[in-house]
Amino acid sequence: MEMYKDAPPFVFLEGPPFANAPPGVHHVLARIMKDAVCRYKTMTGHYVLRKAGWDTHGLPVEYQVEKQLNITNKAELEAYGVQNFIEKCKENVFQFEQDWREMTERIGFWVNLDEAYITLSNDYIESVWWVLRQAWDKELLYQGHKVQPYCYRCGTTLASHEVALGYQEVADPSIFVRFPLKNRENTYLLVWTTTPWTLPSNVAVAVGEDYDYVAVEEHNGQQLILAKECMPSLFGDEPPQIVETYKGTDLRDWEYEPLFDSGEHPEKSHYVVTGDFVTTTEGSGLVHIAPAFGQDDYDIGQKYNLPLVQLVGADGRFVSEVKESWAGEYVKDADPQIIENLDGRGLLFKATEYTHQYPFCWRCDTPLLYYARESWFIRTTAIRDQMHQHNQEINWYPEHIKDGRFGNWLENNIDWGLSRERYWGTPLPVWACDDCGHQHCVGSIAELKSLGTDVPDDIELHRPYVDDVVLNCKKCSGTMHRVQDVIDCWFDSGCAHTAQWHYPFENKELFEQAYPADFISEAIDQTRGWFYSLLATSTLLYDKPAYKNCLCLELILAADGQKMSKSRGNTVDPWTILDEQGADAMRWYMFTGSPPWAQRTFKIDGVDEALKKFMGTLQNVYSFFVMYANLEQIDVLQDTPPVAERTVVDRWILSRLHTLIDGVRDEMENYQLTNAPRAIEAFMRDLSNWMSVAPATVSGVQKAGPDKQADYATLYEVLVTVVKIAAPFVPFGG
């Protein structure tokens, strides 16, 4: 690489994988796509620094260690000891590093693993602290109380981009419940919910201001109030008689009897409010409000000063104060008991199942709950417009990602839930005063030492070591302790553009040369992961994107068309292919099978076909050339006729070769990593046709002459050039 030091730079930023599990076929795909681009750029006269990276923090590691130690909750973890747990995490993160190294080398991914950036290093963490300090100074880092997705098994909230990684189709109860109105005998609000477990925390019912509502009379004389537009879906072709009509505003402030005893609270509750989130496309047009368990509910609770009734603990179970039989039960398990209770009291109108997409924890596969909790946030909504603008500056492959999947994600951006109530991660560098509550964000190790008491020279920036550091409060001279949270590991990797260089503490020139990156590439799901976190942090810091070109890779499916899964038994061990057919065959198959952004089915016989279609043809042509050139003692580097003096067919194949060179360059400059090798395949077919008419190749051994010398020289030039053109895709030469 030293010979290219003074060449124009092409900056590649590696997305850091976790090395706590062995690499799979999808990792091969990602690494060879990156490698082909970097090799091509090197061969076209660029200096390409290929710094590897390792992601090391967060739930993926903690979850594995917990399984190894048979730990099922935070209490067991803390009994084991936080320090002991942290040390186990450090061991786990590089458990399969050797496997990754061997696979990386075997597939020919040219990257510097010996000088990789590592997110657990003090240098990396210190740079992340600096980034957070910039957010703090810009008032973009704040503490707030919001409803957030929460994993009760892991005991922490998750960010919206993490939630997007874990949706599954589930069947939940769908029930319509009669809420008895006060001062209106035998009249009920008909309310729909798919979360019966939240009903004990109900404090209000929301209606749409401008919707038309009706009171209908059941056969038993009871009256139900619901949105008129919802009658067909609830009653079908035999609707009950309408006895009265209302606008949503007419129902405002109507009071109803609580379904359950939720305890005493000073705020007014159990009455009708209006909300712009109410719809009539499904349900009854009346929405049950439990501010502790939904963002719309929480917001309307704030608007109307409704009580926050939290009857579910951090372990996902009903608290012991609940008077009903489901006290202590996991909330989802309590649904049948709650439904049975309502039915027994004549309050259940209808119960069915509702199939929908529901978020699960992306690492432990636990259904998420939505809790109102105090957390730390990055105010990304304040920079949403800038992120939109910077997105337009990025070249996306495929292009529709820009205004589609990624653009839509930015459009619906909410503040980044940054903090995690966990252990193994970059500690949130905020200290709070025990006496006056003053908070301070530390931005460097030097600042920590200047403000702290007896800070060790070799302080490790992990829990529990950094938790022991006490600061002096500048406001009241009191004692300050660090808040216990760590941060989202996606924020870690999202700072790679800066933290990999330990900027701004050193490597200023290197950072300036490497920012922004010319090229990144990862799987399509990173539109809501690493691609987003890079853009958010770079916009926050520098108000410009962290990358110029982004190549998105689609899923690899098994031969049966299903997603690869160990439980399904349809995964493919990449070493099976590498040991049998070889790395070049596997690479060529992946490049030519389908575009990187198209979903692909991985078939082993497809690798065999790739061997025949290109490398088999190339090998046959090469073998012919070597055998006959040696047999006839042809020296292709001497007495070679000028191109103008060669036969028409020789000039044609050389013209075709230079057309190929131009075409492959054009495709590679536009990141068309399938079109380029397919063009090489097509050329090889033309080369076979040429060999059928070139005099030397038709007649085999014959007397030497200018045409024969020209044919061999032409074939030599073509073979050498094809091998060079194909080198980014098959670096081992077949």
Side-chain angles (χ1 to χ4, degrees):
M1 292 298 291
E2 289 301 313
M3 62 186 289
Y4 292 103
K5 276 281 189 180
D6 296 326
F10 178 81
V11 181
F12 162 63
L13 177 58
E14 164 72 333
F18 283 97
N20 65 337
V25 169
H26 56 295
H27 296 114
V28 174
L29 175 69
R31 287 170 112 65
I32 66 169
M33 293 294 169
K34 300 169 188 177
D35 183 62
V37 171
C38 291
R39 285 180 183 272
Y40 166 77
K41 287 295 182 180
T42 300
M43 292 179 70
T44 52
H46 294 82
Y47 174 62
V48 185
L49 186 64
R50 307 168 197 212
K51 190 178 182 70
W54 296 113
D55 214 351
T56 55
H57 283 150
L59 287 175
V61 179
E62 288 200 42
Y63 183 55
Q64 276 204 357
V65 173
E66 286 176 340
K67 286 198 297 184
Q68 291 167 8
L69 298 174
N70 200 28
I71 288 173
T72 60
N73 55 53
K74 281 184 168 182
E76 292 177 1
L77 189 156
E78 292 187 359
Y80 176 76
V82 173
Q83 182 172 339
N84 295 332
F85 184 74
I86 293 302
E87 295 306 315
K88 285 290 185 183
C89 288
K90 290 179 190 175
E91 295 173 14
N92 175 270
V93 292
F94 292 116
Q95 184 178 352
F96 293 95
E97 182 192 5
Q98 191 58 37
D99 297 61
W100 278 85
R101 280 181 172 268
E102 290 174 1
M103 185 271 282
T104 298
E105 292 172 4
R106 183 65 186 87
I107 65 173
F109 180 31
W110 189 5
V111 68
N112 188 350
L113 291 165
D114 295 327
E115 296 180 9
Y117 69 87
I118 306 172
T119 61
L120 63 73
S121 71
N122 256 25
D123 284 354
Y124 196 98
I125 293 173
E126 185 177 27
S127 289
V128 174
W129 276 20
W130 175 78
V131 175
L132 290 168
R133 176 57 181 270
Q134 307 315 299
W136 177 271
D137 290 343
K138 295 176 182 179
E139 299 185 350
L140 297 176
L141 173 61
Y142 70 96
Q143 189 175 25
H145 192 265
K146 296 184 180 183
V147 172
Q148 299 168 77
Y150 178 84
C151 176
Y152 66 86
R153 198 221 70 86
C154 296
T156 188
T157 56
L158 300 177
S160 56
H161 52 263
E162 292 176 292
V163 175
L165 299 174
Y167 275 89
Q168 299 179 25
E169 188 173 274
V170 299
D172 274 328
S174 170
I175 65 173
F176 292 83
V177 182
R178 299 180 177 95
F179 282 52
L181 283 168
K182 289 183 177 180
N183 306 318
R184 287 176 177 260
E185 190 175 354
N186 278 340
T187 303
Y188 302 82
L189 302 172
L190 187 60
V191 179
W192 178 57
T193 185
T194 57
T195 53
W197 62 270
T198 63
L199 287 172
S201 295
N202 170 268
V203 293
V205 169
V207 298
E209 280 191 6
D210 298 324
Y211 292 150
D212 292 319
Y213 289 85
V214 294
V216 299
E217 188 167 313
E218 295 188 276
H219 64 275
N220 58 7
Q222 292 181 346
Q223 290 187 10
L224 301 176
I225 295 176
L226 69 154
K228 185 177 182 180
E229 203 172 322
C230 297
M231 287 184 65
S233 61
L234 280 167
F235 300 108
D237 297 331
E238 298 181 4
Q241 181 182 356
I242 295 175
V243 295
E244 206 163 348
T245 62
Y246 314 92
K247 280 292 186 184
T249 49
D250 298 331
L251 304 177
R252 187 187 290 146
D253 293 329
W254 284 18
E255 296 185 357
Y256 60 89
E257 298 288 349
L259 295 180
F260 303 100
D261 182 1
S262 58
E264 296 293 326
H265 36 76
E267 303 92 344
K268 181 183 176 182
S269 63
H270 301 99
Y271 64 99
V272 177
V273 297
T274 57
D276 57 10
F277 54 85
V278 179
T279 69
T280 56
T281 54
E282 54 188 354
S284 63
L286 291 94
V287 176
H288 134 67
I289 301 297
F293 303 116
Q295 191 58 53
D296 286 334
D297 302 49
Y298 183 84
D299 291 342
I300 209 165
Q302 294 290 297
K303 178 180 178 180
Y304 287 96
N305 193 31
L306 296 170
L308 187 79
V309 179
Q310 177 56 280
L311 298 178
V312 179
D315 58 357
R317 298 177 179 276
F318 279 100
V319 297
S320 58
E321 290 80 5
V322 171
K323 298 175 183 177
E324 286 80 8
S325 61
W326 48 83
E329 292 275 351
Y330 165 56
V331 293
K332 294 279 189 179
D333 294 339
D335 278 347
Q337 297 179 54
I338 293 171
I339 294 170
E340 183 180 358
N341 178 290
L342 294 169
D343 193 28
R345 292 191 284 144
L347 298 178
L348 184 67
F349 174 76
K350 183 180 180 181
T352 59
E353 278 196 340
Y354 176 68
T355 301
H356 64 134
Q357 293 290 313
Y358 191 85
F360 283 67
C361 180
W362 65 294
R363 278 302 171 185
C364 73
D365 212 32
T366 299
L368 299 180
L369 305 177
Y370 281 81
Y371 272 25
R373 297 182 72 82
E374 192 159 73
S375 297
W376 289 82
F377 299 86
I378 298 290
R379 204 185 309 275
T380 50
T381 51
I383 56 173
R384 179 166 47 203
D385 290 345
Q386 294 98 304
M387 287 195 289
H388 266 295
Q389 176 188 334
H390 298 327
N391 179 37
Q392 296 304 311
E393 300 169 28
I394 298 168
N395 298 314
W396 289 92
Y397 302 93
E399 189 177 3
H400 65 76
I401 297 294
K402 175 183 290 186
D403 295 318
R405 186 183 179 107
F406 196 70
N408 292 338
W409 177 252
L410 294 178
E411 189 68 38
N412 297 301
N413 180 263
I414 60 176
D415 286 351
W416 186 338
L418 180 73
S419 55
R420 299 290 177 272
E421 301 160 72
R422 295 299 304 181
Y423 308 91
W424 176 240
T426 294
L428 183 67
V430 176
W431 271 254
C433 180
D434 299 340
D435 299 325
C436 71
H438 172 64
Q439 295 175 335
H440 180 74
C441 180
V442 173
S444 67
I445 294 175
E447 184 183 8
L448 184 68
K449 290 180 177 179
S450 70
L451 297 177
T453 304
D454 298 325
V455 180
D457 286 338
D458 60 347
I459 178 70
E460 179 181 338
L461 302 183
H462 279 121
R463 298 191 68 187
Y465 315 107
V466 76
D467 297 342
D468 295 335
V469 176
V470 176
L471 306 190
N472 297 313
C473 179
K474 289 187 175 181
K475 293 286 185 181
C476 71
S477 300
T479 301
M480 303 181 78
H481 287 93
R482 194 188 72 82
V483 299
Q484 292 293 293
D485 296 340
V486 296
I487 69 169
D488 182 2
C489 63
W490 291 98
F491 195 91
D492 273 0
S493 58
C495 292
H497 49 69
T498 294
Q500 66 170 324
W501 306 113
H502 192 212
Y503 181 83
F505 306 102
E506 58 178 321
N507 298 318
K508 185 174 184 292
E509 186 176 342
L510 266 175
F511 165 74
E512 290 174 350
Q513 292 171 354
Y515 188 94
D518 288 297
F519 168 65
I520 63 170
S521 178
E522 296 296 338
I524 189 72
D525 57 2
Q526 297 301 325
T527 48
R528 296 171 183 181
W530 193 53
F531 300 160
Y532 169 69
S533 63
L534 284 174
L535 183 64
T537 54
S538 62
T539 301
L540 182 158
L541 282 173
Y542 312 117
D543 198 18
K544 63 180 180 180
Y547 48 94
K548 299 176 183 177
N549 299 283
C550 183
L551 177 65
C552 301
L553 312 175
E554 253 295 357
L555 288 174
I556 298 181
L557 303 178
D560 58 7
Q562 299 291 314
K563 185 177 179 180
M564 285 192 184
S565 166
K566 288 181 181 178
S567 62
R568 291 193 182 105
N570 62 359
T571 57
V572 175
D573 180 357
W575 284 101
T576 303
I577 312 296
L578 295 171
D579 290 340
E580 291 293 325
Q581 290 100 327
D584 277 350
M586 189 174 190
R587 287 175 65 120
W588 192 260
Y589 168 64
M590 287 184 156
F591 283 121
T592 59
S594 61
W597 47 82
Q599 209 168 71
R600 64 183 65 211
T601 301
F602 192 92
K603 297 180 179 178
I604 294 178
D605 56 6
V607 181
D608 294 326
E609 185 66 21
L611 269 171
K612 297 174 188 173
K613 285 176 69 175
F614 171 63
M615 280 172 284
T617 304
L618 182 63
Q619 182 65 48
N620 289 339
V621 174
Y622 172 75
S623 297
F624 173 91
F625 169 80
V626 170
M627 181 173 67
Y628 283 105
N630 286 334
L631 184 65
E632 300 195 55
Q633 297 183 330
I634 298 289
D635 186 344
V636 295
L637 300 179
Q638 287 188 359
D639 302 323
T640 302
V643 173
E645 297 177 10
R646 301 185 198 181
T647 63
V648 171
V649 289
D650 284 355
R651 295 201 304 273
W652 172 78
I653 197 64
L654 290 173
S655 172
R656 181 70 180 81
L657 177 66
H658 286 280
T659 300
L660 173 67
I661 294 170
D662 291 342
V664 169
R665 270 183 172 269
D666 184 62
E667 299 290 7
M668 291 300 289
E669 291 296 332
N670 290 286
Y671 298 90
Q672 300 297 319
L673 272 64
T674 296
N675 291 352
R678 283 180 178 177
I680 300 172
E681 270 188 353
F683 175 81
M684 291 305 296
R685 291 193 292 271
D686 286 347
L687 182 62
S688 296
N689 293 333
W690 172 81
M691 291 183 68
S692 68
V693 296
T697 60
V698 170
S699 54
V701 180
Q702 59 178 255
K703 292 181 181 179
D707 285 353
K708 171 174 282 193
Q709 184 72 23
D711 286 347
Y712 278 112
T714 298
L715 184 53
Y716 172 79
E717 183 179 337
V718 168
L719 283 171
V720 169
T721 304
V722 166
V723 169
K724 289 179 180 178
I725 296 172
F729 311 103
V730 283
F732 298 101

